[in-house]
Amino acid sequence: MAYGLRLAERGRYTTSPNPRVGCVLVRDGEIVGEGFHARAGGPHAEVHALRAAGERARGATAYVTLEPCSHVGRTPACAPQLVEAGVARVVTAMNDPNPQVAGRGHAILREAGVEVTEAIAPAAARALNPGFVSRMERGRPWVTVKLAQSLDGRSALASGESQWITGEAARRDVQFLRARQCAVLSGIDTVLTDSARLNVRLSADELGIAGEVRQPARVVLDSGLRLPPFAAIFDAPGAVWIYTRDANEGVHHEALLKREATLIEAPTAPGLGLDLDFILSDLARREINEVLVEAGAKLAGAFVAAGLCDELVVYQAPVLLGHQARPALALPEPSALVDASRWTLVDETRLGEDLRLTLRPAR
Amino acid sequence: MAYGLRLAERGRYTTSPNPRVGCVLVRDGEIVGEGFHARAGGPHAEVHALRAAGERARGATAYVTLEPCSHVGRTPACAPQLVEAGVARVVTAMNDPNPQVAGRGHAILREAGVEVTEAIAPAAARALNPGFVSRMERGRPWVTVKLAQSLDGRSALASGESQWITGEAARRDVQFLRARQCAVLSGIDTVLTDSARLNVRLSADELGIAGEVRQPARVVLDSGLRLPPFAAIFDAPGAVWIYTRDANEGVHHEALLKREATLIEAPTAPGLGLDLDFILSDLARREINEVLVEAGAKLAGAFVAAGLCDELVVYQAPVLLGHQARPALALPEPSALVDASRWTLVDETRLGEDLRLTLRPAR
């Protein structure tokens, strides 16, 4: 199963909106077939493994990182195909997180006389697909908030100068972080001020994938529809989705539609701009599993303050910008230290001169 | 020599104001004596090693982490003693950093027919004694500025609440950091507000040393002589040195002398409080090798801004205090990013939930 999990990870930049899944077929202690899901619309991991095994699948044990699907989607269901191929036993790392179909894959296998061992490594399997699991279980994407800051927690000088605080290695790492996402989200001010394009600028070779680079959707929160159709974001590949208060309001509305931007109306939350809960639910409906927030202090802080940040990735440069520089995060102050927003550091990694800190909300 | 350096390190909490030194005597491929300097006034490393070796020192090679001393101080000079014991060869890791005596120890040995190999590991040997080397070469102590801050660079809520941002493991680590110092320096506001005692609260057992715990001098920058004689700092062991504008000025002046505080007059720097250059020179004259600055944002920032911070130790807690909380460091903003204060991260270590970052000024 450990090998299956590693295989699944190979789909990290490409399976969206599908989950990353790996499958290993073993007969008489020998691997007779293996596969991972690479792209939505393409064969599932089980099918790759069955094809590789051919007749040797008969009597084999299939190790699958996710309960095999029971429903016909863009491709035929996997559970019946495992039965048909004569697989004797199926071991899964986790159950299907979709509450509407969970258990059906396992049931189909059992009814056909296949021995089933369920969910032997749920933590590792869930970690492969935090976004898919989140979308299925919570109806919203997995939200990662990225910050690039100085040692003293600043992201720009008071003048606004911010390019660059972190070094090349850190900025390259952000590209890999982006490439995993289904969507990259920012606010209109950042998009305008930084001429942000928010796309993945790595090649398929650099990502180690076959085929074309999948661009995450670029999501802009723009309540007043100020994004001009000549913004830099349109010069880079990938869909642009704009959440706004009134899609017919702004002067650029027609021109934006011509640039193939998707305009989506969102309600406003009192004093907080657009309603983030609504937007996350809507992104889930649009099959966004994982979303990266690369925004200014205010919007990034709003995600954190609302408890909507599942992971904080902080690129910290060993530089001091001084107490008058702009904070990387605007966050209301807690009334006492015990009420402060506490996190758990899950990883620290050096990237050139900088440090990447990955944190999750403390329980 | 590597072993000698390790031996020397055993004096890290006790040798002040002397340097940490280790010595290993080897004859016919066998260690016949070893020692380290433990306390000022006690035997030097070479003497410990010679005593352990006895007659077996004759014809041996002595590996010493610092050029043996040529002058009689509180104890007899080491170089002649090595000669007298019949040591055949002396290998040193670094020269004496005191420009007035550098080379004399080596010369005495050579003149007596001892083979000398000089300064084979200067970087490692200097790292053992950054403070002693700094005092000899630059006439000022090695300055470490300690910060305890949140992930967003804050050291207290706007209300002033700051206890505690970091966890127990980090705070215990600070005790070991203090124990290495000759002096711990703070400002009057911190001493008053936090009832800071600035002493070492570890036992000799916890420090792994023989004999009593050596307390660093507690240095308070108090231009207006506001420190009251009943301040908490006097309840803990260790000398208290107060730098002030006019030692006869404050209302507490007599009472402070009764509490055995040392009052030292220092000039003021325009707009910056007391003159930090003067204070550091004065501390060096008082045989302070290493000083730890544990101060508020303003004073810590003044050391950094003046280029007087040799090492920054940041205890960073995975907590967010918000943009209205108090910055850990008050530092004037650079006019452009290229002029920002850049550092090199030399170490990152997890301490419980927190991270300790050690940085040096970037070259």
Side-chain angles (χ1 to χ4, degrees), chain A residues 149 151 157-158 161 316 318-323 331 333 336-337 341 343 345 348 350 357, chain B residues 149 151 157-158 161 316 318-323 325 331 333-334 337 341 343 345 348 350 357:
Chain A
Q149 70 174 33
L151 185 59
L157 296 182
E161 189 188 352
Q316 186 169 286
V319 58
L320 295 168
L321 299 188
H323 64 288
L331 204 61
E333 208 193 24
L337 272 182
S341 167
W343 297 73
L345 185 62
E348 69 268 18
R350 281 249 208 153
L357 307 175
Chain B
Q149 71 174 31
L151 184 60
L157 295 183
E161 187 188 355
Q316 184 169 287
V319 57
L320 294 168
L321 299 188
H323 65 289
L331 204 63
E333 207 193 27
L337 271 183
S341 168
W343 297 73
L345 185 62
E348 70 266 18
R350 282 251 206 152
L357 307 174

mmCIF file of all heavy atoms in Angstrom, chain A residues 149 151 157-158 161 316 318-323 331 333 336-337 341 343 345 348 350 357, chain B residues 149 151 157-158 161 316 318-323 325 331 333-334 337 341 343 345 348 350 357:
data_model
loop_
_atom_site.group_PDB
_atom_site.id
_atom_site.type_symbol
_atom_site.label_atom_id
_atom_site.label_comp_id
_atom_site.label_asym_id
_atom_site.label_seq_id
_atom_site.Cartn_x
_atom_site.Cartn_y
_atom_site.Cartn_z
ATOM 1 N N GLN A 149 7.010 36.600 3.653
ATOM 2 C CA GLN A 149 7.233 37.668 4.623
ATOM 3 C C GLN A 149 8.680 37.731 5.092
ATOM 4 O O GLN A 149 9.469 36.808 4.915
ATOM 5 C CB GLN A 149 6.287 37.489 5.823
ATOM 6 C CG GLN A 149 6.638 36.293 6.694
ATOM 7 C CD GLN A 149 5.771 36.214 7.965
ATOM 8 O OE1 GLN A 149 4.606 36.603 7.950
ATOM 9 N NE2 GLN A 149 6.333 35.710 9.049
ATOM 10 N N LEU A 151 11.446 38.359 8.295
ATOM 11 C CA LEU A 151 11.579 37.809 9.644
ATOM 12 C C LEU A 151 10.695 38.558 10.626
ATOM 13 O O LEU A 151 10.232 37.995 11.615
ATOM 14 C CB LEU A 151 13.059 37.945 10.055
ATOM 15 C CG LEU A 151 13.525 37.352 11.366
ATOM 16 C CD1 LEU A 151 13.261 35.867 11.423
ATOM 17 C CD2 LEU A 151 15.011 37.628 11.571
ATOM 18 N N LEU A 157 7.388 47.107 1.899
ATOM 19 C CA LEU A 157 7.702 48.384 2.530
ATOM 20 C C LEU A 157 6.434 49.248 2.552
ATOM 21 O O LEU A 157 5.470 48.945 1.856
ATOM 22 C CB LEU A 157 8.817 49.096 1.747
ATOM 23 C CG LEU A 157 10.167 48.375 1.741
ATOM 24 C CD1 LEU A 157 11.195 49.204 0.977
ATOM 25 C CD2 LEU A 157 10.644 48.126 3.165
ATOM 26 N N ALA A 158 6.474 50.303 3.340
ATOM 27 C CA ALA A 158 5.309 51.193 3.400
ATOM 28 C C ALA A 158 4.996 51.744 2.012
ATOM 29 O O ALA A 158 3.840 51.990 1.661
ATOM 30 C CB ALA A 158 5.569 52.332 4.377
ATOM 31 N N GLU A 161 6.688 48.563 -2.030
ATOM 32 C CA GLU A 161 7.706 47.746 -2.695
ATOM 33 C C GLU A 161 7.781 46.371 -2.034
ATOM 34 O O GLU A 161 7.940 46.254 -0.820
ATOM 35 C CB GLU A 161 9.086 48.424 -2.607
ATOM 36 C CG GLU A 161 10.115 47.706 -3.479
ATOM 37 C CD GLU A 161 11.557 48.208 -3.275
ATOM 38 O OE1 GLU A 161 11.762 49.204 -2.580
ATOM 39 O OE2 GLU A 161 12.461 47.552 -3.824
ATOM 40 N N GLN A 316 9.554 32.610 4.639
ATOM 41 C CA GLN A 316 10.111 33.651 5.502
ATOM 42 C C GLN A 316 11.556 33.942 5.114
ATOM 43 O O GLN A 316 12.411 33.070 5.163
ATOM 44 C CB GLN A 316 10.014 33.184 6.955
ATOM 45 C CG GLN A 316 10.437 34.249 7.945
ATOM 46 C CD GLN A 316 10.079 33.868 9.380
ATOM 47 O OE1 GLN A 316 8.921 33.912 9.777
ATOM 48 N NE2 GLN A 316 11.067 33.479 10.158
ATOM 49 N N PRO A 318 15.195 35.946 5.600
ATOM 50 C CA PRO A 318 15.980 36.463 6.717
ATOM 51 C C PRO A 318 16.335 37.931 6.501
ATOM 52 O O PRO A 318 17.488 38.286 6.346
ATOM 53 C CB PRO A 318 17.219 35.566 6.717
ATOM 54 C CG PRO A 318 17.400 35.193 5.286
ATOM 55 C CD PRO A 318 16.015 35.136 4.679
ATOM 56 N N VAL A 319 15.311 38.741 6.487
ATOM 57 C CA VAL A 319 15.488 40.169 6.252
ATOM 58 C C VAL A 319 14.554 40.896 7.219
ATOM 59 O O VAL A 319 13.521 40.356 7.619
ATOM 60 C CB VAL A 319 15.175 40.489 4.765
ATOM 61 C CG1 VAL A 319 13.770 40.076 4.406
ATOM 62 C CG2 VAL A 319 15.392 41.938 4.431
ATOM 63 N N LEU A 320 14.962 42.088 7.637
ATOM 64 C CA LEU A 320 14.137 42.883 8.550
ATOM 65 C C LEU A 320 13.677 44.130 7.820
ATOM 66 O O LEU A 320 14.486 44.874 7.273
ATOM 67 C CB LEU A 320 14.950 43.269 9.794
ATOM 68 C CG LEU A 320 15.382 42.110 10.686
ATOM 69 C CD1 LEU A 320 16.410 42.572 11.710
ATOM 70 C CD2 LEU A 320 14.172 41.492 11.385
ATOM 71 N N LEU A 321 12.372 44.350 7.785
ATOM 72 C CA LEU A 321 11.851 45.506 7.046
ATOM 73 C C LEU A 321 11.437 46.649 7.961
ATOM 74 O O LEU A 321 11.130 47.744 7.482
ATOM 75 C CB LEU A 321 10.678 45.081 6.163
ATOM 76 C CG LEU A 321 11.003 44.041 5.093
ATOM 77 C CD1 LEU A 321 9.819 43.853 4.165
ATOM 78 C CD2 LEU A 321 12.236 44.445 4.290
ATOM 79 N N GLY A 322 11.418 46.393 9.263
ATOM 80 C CA GLY A 322 11.095 47.497 10.175
ATOM 81 C C GLY A 322 9.614 47.566 10.499
ATOM 82 O O GLY A 322 8.777 47.066 9.752
ATOM 83 N N HIS A 323 9.310 48.238 11.617
ATOM 84 C CA HIS A 323 7.937 48.205 12.129
ATOM 85 C C HIS A 323 6.973 49.103 11.355
ATOM 86 O O HIS A 323 5.783 49.083 11.616
ATOM 87 C CB HIS A 323 7.941 48.586 13.615
ATOM 88 C CG HIS A 323 8.405 49.982 13.872
ATOM 89 N ND1 HIS A 323 9.720 50.367 13.746
ATOM 90 C CD2 HIS A 323 7.733 51.093 14.241
ATOM 91 C CE1 HIS A 323 9.830 51.650 14.024
ATOM 92 N NE2 HIS A 323 8.655 52.110 14.334
ATOM 93 N N LEU A 331 -5.041 41.090 10.819
ATOM 94 C CA LEU A 331 -5.818 40.167 11.638
ATOM 95 C C LEU A 331 -6.239 40.931 12.881
ATOM 96 O O LEU A 331 -5.413 41.593 13.500
ATOM 97 C CB LEU A 331 -4.892 39.010 12.028
ATOM 98 C CG LEU A 331 -5.479 37.674 12.381
ATOM 99 C CD1 LEU A 331 -6.242 37.092 11.220
ATOM 100 C CD2 LEU A 331 -4.366 36.738 12.814
ATOM 101 N N GLU A 333 -6.840 41.813 16.620
ATOM 102 C CA GLU A 333 -6.077 41.357 17.772
ATOM 103 C C GLU A 333 -6.975 40.575 18.729
ATOM 104 O O GLU A 333 -8.109 40.948 18.960
ATOM 105 C CB GLU A 333 -5.503 42.585 18.491
ATOM 106 C CG GLU A 333 -4.233 42.262 19.209
ATOM 107 C CD GLU A 333 -3.828 43.356 20.176
ATOM 108 O OE1 GLU A 333 -4.691 44.122 20.628
ATOM 109 O OE2 GLU A 333 -2.642 43.425 20.480
ATOM 110 N N ALA A 336 -6.964 38.514 24.557
ATOM 111 C CA ALA A 336 -5.956 38.004 25.489
ATOM 112 C C ALA A 336 -5.125 36.954 24.766
ATOM 113 O O ALA A 336 -5.560 36.385 23.762
ATOM 114 C CB ALA A 336 -6.621 37.389 26.712
ATOM 115 N N LEU A 337 -3.927 36.694 25.274
ATOM 116 C CA LEU A 337 -3.032 35.732 24.606
ATOM 117 C C LEU A 337 -3.663 34.342 24.479
ATOM 118 O O LEU A 337 -3.445 33.651 23.491
ATOM 119 C CB LEU A 337 -1.708 35.624 25.366
ATOM 120 C CG LEU A 337 -0.615 36.621 24.972
ATOM 121 C CD1 LEU A 337 0.641 36.356 25.771
ATOM 122 C CD2 LEU A 337 -0.325 36.533 23.482
ATOM 123 N N SER A 341 -4.723 33.130 17.833
ATOM 124 C CA SER A 341 -4.816 32.089 16.801
ATOM 125 C C SER A 341 -3.568 31.209 16.859
ATOM 126 O O SER A 341 -2.483 31.618 16.469
ATOM 127 C CB SER A 341 -4.949 32.813 15.462
ATOM 128 O OG SER A 341 -4.761 31.952 14.381
ATOM 129 N N TRP A 343 -1.277 27.757 16.016
ATOM 130 C CA TRP A 343 -1.039 26.853 14.912
ATOM 131 C C TRP A 343 -0.049 25.774 15.316
ATOM 132 O O TRP A 343 0.657 25.913 16.323
ATOM 133 C CB TRP A 343 -0.515 27.656 13.705
ATOM 134 C CG TRP A 343 -1.526 28.643 13.237
ATOM 135 C CD1 TRP A 343 -1.885 29.804 13.874
ATOM 136 C CD2 TRP A 343 -2.376 28.530 12.094
ATOM 137 N NE1 TRP A 343 -2.899 30.421 13.176
ATOM 138 C CE2 TRP A 343 -3.216 29.662 12.081
ATOM 139 C CE3 TRP A 343 -2.498 27.580 11.076
ATOM 140 C CZ2 TRP A 343 -4.174 29.866 11.078
ATOM 141 C CZ3 TRP A 343 -3.439 27.794 10.078
ATOM 142 C CH2 TRP A 343 -4.265 28.920 10.087
ATOM 143 N N LEU A 345 3.188 23.767 13.842
ATOM 144 C CA LEU A 345 4.184 23.733 12.771
ATOM 145 C C LEU A 345 4.334 22.282 12.322
ATOM 146 O O LEU A 345 4.740 21.434 13.100
ATOM 147 C CB LEU A 345 5.502 24.269 13.333
ATOM 148 C CG LEU A 345 6.666 24.454 12.373
ATOM 149 C CD1 LEU A 345 6.320 25.462 11.297
ATOM 150 C CD2 LEU A 345 7.900 24.908 13.152
ATOM 151 N N GLU A 348 9.239 22.455 8.491
ATOM 152 C CA GLU A 348 10.075 23.612 8.174
ATOM 153 C C GLU A 348 11.141 23.135 7.203
ATOM 154 O O GLU A 348 11.766 22.099 7.410
ATOM 155 C CB GLU A 348 10.682 24.251 9.424
ATOM 156 C CG GLU A 348 11.732 23.471 10.163
ATOM 157 C CD GLU A 348 11.156 22.617 11.269
ATOM 158 O OE1 GLU A 348 9.932 22.353 11.276
ATOM 159 O OE2 GLU A 348 11.930 22.166 12.136
ATOM 160 N N ARG A 350 14.325 24.564 4.496
ATOM 161 C CA ARG A 350 15.131 25.653 3.957
ATOM 162 C C ARG A 350 15.018 25.692 2.453
ATOM 163 O O ARG A 350 15.126 24.659 1.787
ATOM 164 C CB ARG A 350 16.598 25.387 4.278
ATOM 165 C CG ARG A 350 16.921 25.726 5.655
ATOM 166 C CD ARG A 350 17.832 26.938 5.726
ATOM 167 N NE ARG A 350 18.585 26.767 6.955
ATOM 168 C CZ ARG A 350 19.775 27.250 7.172
ATOM 169 N NH1 ARG A 350 20.374 27.954 6.227
ATOM 170 N NH2 ARG A 350 20.374 27.038 8.299
ATOM 171 N N LEU A 357 7.723 27.553 6.165
ATOM 172 C CA LEU A 357 7.043 27.000 7.329
ATOM 173 C C LEU A 357 5.640 26.575 6.908
ATOM 174 O O LEU A 357 4.923 27.344 6.266
ATOM 175 C CB LEU A 357 6.940 28.049 8.435
ATOM 176 C CG LEU A 357 8.257 28.728 8.835
ATOM 177 C CD1 LEU A 357 7.995 29.831 9.853
ATOM 178 C CD2 LEU A 357 9.219 27.688 9.398
ATOM 179 N N GLN B 149 9.005 35.998 19.623
ATOM 180 C CA GLN B 149 7.965 36.628 18.815
ATOM 181 C C GLN B 149 6.981 35.621 18.247
ATOM 182 O O GLN B 149 7.222 34.423 18.217
ATOM 183 C CB GLN B 149 8.602 37.447 17.685
ATOM 184 C CG GLN B 149 9.239 36.600 16.599
ATOM 185 C CD GLN B 149 9.744 37.427 15.411
ATOM 186 O OE1 GLN B 149 10.153 38.581 15.559
ATOM 187 N NE2 GLN B 149 9.715 36.860 14.217
ATOM 188 N N LEU B 151 4.509 34.335 14.986
ATOM 189 C CA LEU B 151 4.756 34.102 13.562
ATOM 190 C C LEU B 151 4.637 35.406 12.785
ATOM 191 O O LEU B 151 5.290 35.583 11.748
ATOM 192 C CB LEU B 151 3.723 33.087 13.064
ATOM 193 C CG LEU B 151 3.795 32.587 11.645
ATOM 194 C CD1 LEU B 151 5.105 31.888 11.377
ATOM 195 C CD2 LEU B 151 2.639 31.621 11.356
ATOM 196 N N LEU B 157 0.675 41.779 22.978
ATOM 197 C CA LEU B 157 -0.561 42.396 22.524
ATOM 198 C C LEU B 157 -0.452 43.905 22.734
ATOM 199 O O LEU B 157 0.433 44.374 23.454
ATOM 200 C CB LEU B 157 -1.742 41.833 23.326
ATOM 201 C CG LEU B 157 -2.011 40.340 23.127
ATOM 202 C CD1 LEU B 157 -3.236 39.918 23.919
ATOM 203 C CD2 LEU B 157 -2.216 40.023 21.647
ATOM 204 N N ALA B 158 -1.351 44.652 22.135
ATOM 205 C CA ALA B 158 -1.337 46.105 22.302
ATOM 206 C C ALA B 158 -1.464 46.461 23.785
ATOM 207 O O ALA B 158 -0.930 47.458 24.255
ATOM 208 C CB ALA B 158 -2.469 46.737 21.491
ATOM 209 N N GLU B 161 0.280 42.580 27.140
ATOM 210 C CA GLU B 161 0.338 41.177 27.575
ATOM 211 C C GLU B 161 1.311 40.397 26.701
ATOM 212 O O GLU B 161 1.214 40.396 25.480
ATOM 213 C CB GLU B 161 -1.056 40.531 27.503
ATOM 214 C CG GLU B 161 -1.047 39.133 28.114
ATOM 215 C CD GLU B 161 -2.344 38.357 27.911
ATOM 216 O OE1 GLU B 161 -3.318 38.904 27.376
ATOM 217 O OE2 GLU B 161 -2.351 37.157 28.275
ATOM 218 N N GLN B 316 10.470 31.765 17.817
ATOM 219 C CA GLN B 316 9.258 32.101 17.082
ATOM 220 C C GLN B 316 8.155 31.092 17.397
ATOM 221 O O GLN B 316 8.306 29.904 17.154
ATOM 222 C CB GLN B 316 9.572 32.130 15.582
ATOM 223 C CG GLN B 316 8.389 32.571 14.733
ATOM 224 C CD GLN B 316 8.801 32.860 13.293
ATOM 225 O OE1 GLN B 316 9.443 33.860 13.001
ATOM 226 N NE2 GLN B 316 8.457 31.972 12.381
ATOM 227 N N PRO B 318 4.308 29.523 16.968
ATOM 228 C CA PRO B 318 3.329 29.389 15.875
ATOM 229 C C PRO B 318 1.980 29.967 16.287
ATOM 230 O O PRO B 318 0.992 29.257 16.402
ATOM 231 C CB PRO B 318 3.269 27.885 15.635
ATOM 232 C CG PRO B 318 3.568 27.296 16.983
ATOM 233 C CD PRO B 318 4.502 28.253 17.673
ATOM 234 N N VAL B 319 1.972 31.251 16.521
ATOM 235 C CA VAL B 319 0.765 31.933 16.972
ATOM 236 C C VAL B 319 0.696 33.260 16.213
ATOM 237 O O VAL B 319 1.724 33.813 15.815
ATOM 238 C CB VAL B 319 0.821 32.130 18.508
ATOM 239 C CG1 VAL B 319 2.052 32.908 18.944
ATOM 240 C CG2 VAL B 319 -0.424 32.792 19.056
ATOM 241 N N LEU B 320 -0.514 33.721 15.958
ATOM 242 C CA LEU B 320 -0.696 34.990 15.245
ATOM 243 C C LEU B 320 -1.328 35.995 16.202
ATOM 244 O O LEU B 320 -2.372 35.716 16.794
ATOM 245 C CB LEU B 320 -1.603 34.785 14.024
ATOM 246 C CG LEU B 320 -1.033 33.893 12.929
ATOM 247 C CD1 LEU B 320 -2.109 33.517 11.909
ATOM 248 C CD2 LEU B 320 0.141 34.582 12.236
ATOM 249 N N LEU B 321 -0.705 37.137 16.363
ATOM 250 C CA LEU B 321 -1.226 38.125 17.313
ATOM 251 C C LEU B 321 -1.933 39.295 16.630
ATOM 252 O O LEU B 321 -2.545 40.114 17.298
ATOM 253 C CB LEU B 321 -0.095 38.653 18.206
ATOM 254 C CG LEU B 321 0.607 37.601 19.077
ATOM 255 C CD1 LEU B 321 1.567 38.288 20.040
ATOM 256 C CD2 LEU B 321 -0.398 36.766 19.851
ATOM 257 N N GLY B 322 -1.824 39.365 15.312
ATOM 258 C CA GLY B 322 -2.551 40.429 14.610
ATOM 259 C C GLY B 322 -1.724 41.677 14.410
ATOM 260 O O GLY B 322 -0.759 41.920 15.131
ATOM 261 N N HIS B 323 -2.147 42.478 13.432
ATOM 262 C CA HIS B 323 -1.316 43.614 13.018
ATOM 263 C C HIS B 323 -1.360 44.777 13.997
ATOM 264 O O HIS B 323 -0.629 45.749 13.829
ATOM 265 C CB HIS B 323 -1.726 44.067 11.619
ATOM 266 C CG HIS B 323 -3.110 44.611 11.548
ATOM 267 N ND1 HIS B 323 -4.218 43.810 11.669
ATOM 268 C CD2 HIS B 323 -3.578 45.863 11.407
ATOM 269 C CE1 HIS B 323 -5.304 44.546 11.575
ATOM 270 N NE2 HIS B 323 -4.945 45.802 11.422
ATOM 271 N N ALA B 325 -0.884 44.258 17.283
ATOM 272 C CA ALA B 325 -0.030 43.876 18.411
ATOM 273 C C ALA B 325 1.332 44.549 18.263
ATOM 274 O O ALA B 325 1.650 45.114 17.216
ATOM 275 C CB ALA B 325 0.111 42.356 18.454
ATOM 276 N N LEU B 331 12.407 49.255 14.203
ATOM 277 C CA LEU B 331 13.535 49.445 13.302
ATOM 278 C C LEU B 331 13.113 50.420 12.230
ATOM 279 O O LEU B 331 12.037 50.281 11.671
ATOM 280 C CB LEU B 331 13.838 48.073 12.665
ATOM 281 C CG LEU B 331 15.225 47.799 12.141
ATOM 282 C CD1 LEU B 331 16.241 47.852 13.263
ATOM 283 C CD2 LEU B 331 15.231 46.413 11.495
ATOM 284 N N GLU B 333 12.525 52.033 8.749
ATOM 285 C CA GLU B 333 12.317 51.352 7.479
ATOM 286 C C GLU B 333 13.396 51.722 6.484
ATOM 287 O O GLU B 333 13.803 52.876 6.410
ATOM 288 C CB GLU B 333 10.945 51.747 6.934
ATOM 289 C CG GLU B 333 10.364 50.693 6.048
ATOM 290 C CD GLU B 333 9.178 51.188 5.257
ATOM 291 O OE1 GLU B 333 9.095 52.410 4.983
ATOM 292 O OE2 GLU B 333 8.370 50.353 4.884
ATOM 293 N N PRO B 334 13.874 50.743 5.703
ATOM 294 C CA PRO B 334 14.833 51.087 4.650
ATOM 295 C C PRO B 334 14.106 51.838 3.535
ATOM 296 O O PRO B 334 12.906 51.711 3.388
ATOM 297 C CB PRO B 334 15.308 49.724 4.153
ATOM 298 C CG PRO B 334 14.159 48.805 4.427
ATOM 299 C CD PRO B 334 13.521 49.312 5.697
ATOM 300 N N LEU B 337 14.037 48.014 -0.824
ATOM 301 C CA LEU B 337 14.290 46.632 -0.402
ATOM 302 C C LEU B 337 15.765 46.258 -0.442
ATOM 303 O O LEU B 337 16.245 45.519 0.406
ATOM 304 C CB LEU B 337 13.492 45.660 -1.265
ATOM 305 C CG LEU B 337 12.073 45.335 -0.783
ATOM 306 C CD1 LEU B 337 11.447 44.303 -1.699
ATOM 307 C CD2 LEU B 337 12.082 44.831 0.638
ATOM 308 N N SER B 341 17.906 45.314 6.015
ATOM 309 C CA SER B 341 18.835 44.593 6.866
ATOM 310 C C SER B 341 18.751 43.087 6.567
ATOM 311 O O SER B 341 17.768 42.435 6.908
ATOM 312 C CB SER B 341 18.442 44.903 8.321
ATOM 313 O OG SER B 341 19.090 44.070 9.223
ATOM 314 N N TRP B 343 20.114 39.085 6.680
ATOM 315 C CA TRP B 343 20.745 38.165 7.607
ATOM 316 C C TRP B 343 20.944 36.819 6.950
ATOM 317 O O TRP B 343 20.341 36.512 5.932
ATOM 318 C CB TRP B 343 19.874 38.055 8.870
ATOM 319 C CG TRP B 343 19.781 39.370 9.568
ATOM 320 C CD1 TRP B 343 19.054 40.465 9.150
ATOM 321 C CD2 TRP B 343 20.473 39.776 10.746
ATOM 322 N NE1 TRP B 343 19.267 41.513 10.014
ATOM 323 C CE2 TRP B 343 20.118 41.121 10.999
ATOM 324 C CE3 TRP B 343 21.351 39.123 11.613
ATOM 325 C CZ2 TRP B 343 20.632 41.829 12.087
ATOM 326 C CZ3 TRP B 343 21.845 39.831 12.689
ATOM 327 C CH2 TRP B 343 21.483 41.159 12.920
ATOM 328 N N LEU B 345 20.629 32.838 7.840
ATOM 329 C CA LEU B 345 20.120 31.876 8.805
ATOM 330 C C LEU B 345 21.194 30.805 9.013
ATOM 331 O O LEU B 345 21.543 30.093 8.079
ATOM 332 C CB LEU B 345 18.834 31.254 8.242
ATOM 333 C CG LEU B 345 18.044 30.306 9.120
ATOM 334 C CD1 LEU B 345 17.539 31.008 10.374
ATOM 335 C CD2 LEU B 345 16.865 29.749 8.337
ATOM 336 N N GLU B 348 18.302 26.472 12.444
ATOM 337 C CA GLU B 348 16.905 26.477 12.877
ATOM 338 C C GLU B 348 16.675 25.192 13.663
ATOM 339 O O GLU B 348 17.067 24.119 13.237
ATOM 340 C CB GLU B 348 15.937 26.609 11.696
ATOM 341 C CG GLU B 348 15.833 25.418 10.769
ATOM 342 C CD GLU B 348 16.768 25.519 9.555
ATOM 343 O OE1 GLU B 348 17.729 26.328 9.579
ATOM 344 O OE2 GLU B 348 16.560 24.780 8.591
ATOM 345 N N ARG B 350 13.803 23.137 16.308
ATOM 346 C CA ARG B 350 12.492 23.081 16.954
ATOM 347 C C ARG B 350 12.650 22.960 18.450
ATOM 348 O O ARG B 350 13.440 22.147 18.930
ATOM 349 C CB ARG B 350 11.767 21.826 16.504
ATOM 350 C CG ARG B 350 11.196 21.961 15.180
ATOM 351 C CD ARG B 350 9.690 22.047 15.228
ATOM 352 N NE ARG B 350 9.276 21.559 13.935
ATOM 353 C CZ ARG B 350 8.134 20.967 13.706
ATOM 354 N NH1 ARG B 350 7.270 20.791 14.692
ATOM 355 N NH2 ARG B 350 7.830 20.548 12.509
ATOM 356 N N LEU B 357 15.439 30.381 15.661
ATOM 357 C CA LEU B 357 16.207 30.754 14.479
ATOM 358 C C LEU B 357 17.434 31.535 14.922
ATOM 359 O O LEU B 357 17.326 32.459 15.723
ATOM 360 C CB LEU B 357 15.359 31.637 13.553
ATOM 361 C CG LEU B 357 13.991 31.084 13.162
ATOM 362 C CD1 LEU B 357 13.206 32.112 12.361
ATOM 363 C CD2 LEU B 357 14.157 29.792 12.358
#
